[in-house]
Amino acid sequence: MIGIYGGTFDPVHYGHLRAALEVREALELRELRFLPCRQPPHRPPPVADAQTRLRMLEIALADADGGVTLDTRELDRNGPSYMVDTLSSIRKEIGDEPLCLILGLDAFLALPAWHRWRRLFSLAHIVVLQRPDYDIEYAEDLEHCVEERQVADPAQLAAQPEGMIYFLEVTQLAIASTSIRRMLREGRSAKYLLPDAVLELIHRESVYAK
């Protein structure tokens, strides 16, 4: 089973890295792919350019084992990064192997605004990183999908290629890329929020100085 963990990673931080580790262990993924986004369709463009964000990810994942990889197909493709196109291309490559799209809860709740969002369920399972004791309010269409597709046992994800929704509680580190960028602009330290080697690159190249 393969997991896809997308985002702008602007910059990558320990919240991303810890969640990815816990998902991989909980679901016994054969491979977990970090998928940096070139241009999210429904958000402002990333502050750091694509190559800088890729280098930060490469540094952050330098000591990861072989089951954690980088997938650069969205960076290599021009225009907005539509997940439905990305998953379609991955599905063509992997055949019928189970595929999981990993989303934070906020991203999942916004799913009805995504391009061709219903098509996602014919391409992958969706694994939602859930906050403990969080009161969820769904849009009506999404609520129907949850009622039809939610499973309680992660083993069910491995039994078919796509189509299920699974909620997974992970350690929620209150770290946000937005906050890190603000700290750096204000001249404050972001140490212990992201890997030292990533922070060194940011300082050396003044990535978020303005």
Side-chain angles (χ1 to χ4, degrees):
M1 189 156 61
I2 296 173
I4 301 297
Y5 189 17
T8 56
F9 304 110
D10 189 26
V12 61
H13 55 67
Y14 283 132
H16 300 131
L17 299 171
R18 182 64 206 179
L21 174 63
E22 293 187 16
V23 171
R24 187 178 174 216
E25 290 181 343
L27 302 185
E28 300 181 352
L29 297 176
R30 177 179 70 81
E31 181 182 4
L32 188 146
R33 300 184 187 181
F34 279 77
L35 182 89
C37 172
R38 173 178 286 278
Q39 171 56 59
H42 303 295
R43 292 174 52 186
V47 176
D49 63 51
Q51 287 308 307
T52 299
R53 290 184 288 116
L54 178 59
R55 286 163 57 210
M56 289 191 285
L57 273 168
E58 288 171 342
I59 291 169
L61 300 177
D63 62 350
D65 63 37
V68 178
T69 62
L70 268 170
D71 189 319
T72 64
R73 73 188 65 215
E74 289 193 348
L75 299 185
D76 299 335
R77 191 172 66 220
N78 292 324
S81 302
Y82 293 115
M83 185 56 72
V84 66
D85 296 333
T86 299
L87 293 183
S88 293
S89 66
I90 294 172
R91 176 55 70 195
K92 289 177 184 177
E93 294 171 3
I94 69 171
D96 290 333
E97 181 170 2
L99 179 66
C100 297
L101 174 61
I102 301 159
L103 296 178
L105 181 59
D106 290 343
F108 179 69
L109 294 178
L111 205 60
W114 288 28
H115 179 62
R116 298 176 64 200
W117 70 279
R118 294 179 184 278
R119 167 76 173 144
L120 297 174
F121 294 106
S122 65
L123 297 167
H125 302 299
I126 294 184
V127 175
V128 185
L129 307 184
Q130 187 175 17
R131 304 170 189 168
D133 303 320
Y134 186 81
D135 187 17
I136 302 175
E137 293 186 11
Y138 298 108
E140 184 176 353
D141 286 351
L142 186 59
E143 185 172 17
H144 290 160
C145 281
V146 173
E147 291 170 353
E148 294 171 358
R149 299 177 181 278
Q150 183 177 359
V151 295
D153 183 354
Q156 292 177 261
L157 304 179
Q160 66 184 67
E162 76 287 307
M164 302 290 100
I165 299 172
Y166 179 67
F167 289 86
L168 175 64
E169 283 194 10
V170 296
T171 302
Q172 294 288 333
L173 302 180
I175 304 173
S177 296
T178 304
S179 299
I180 292 172
R181 295 196 303 269
R182 184 173 61 250
M183 286 178 183
L184 294 168
R185 284 196 308 270
E186 295 172 353
R188 294 187 288 146
S189 175
K191 191 173 178 61
Y192 307 128
L193 297 176
L194 67 172
D196 285 345
V198 174
L199 189 56
E200 288 170 9
L201 181 151
I202 290 169
H203 285 311
R204 186 170 63 249
E205 301 190 8
S206 302
V207 178
Y208 302 114
K210 296 182 180 179

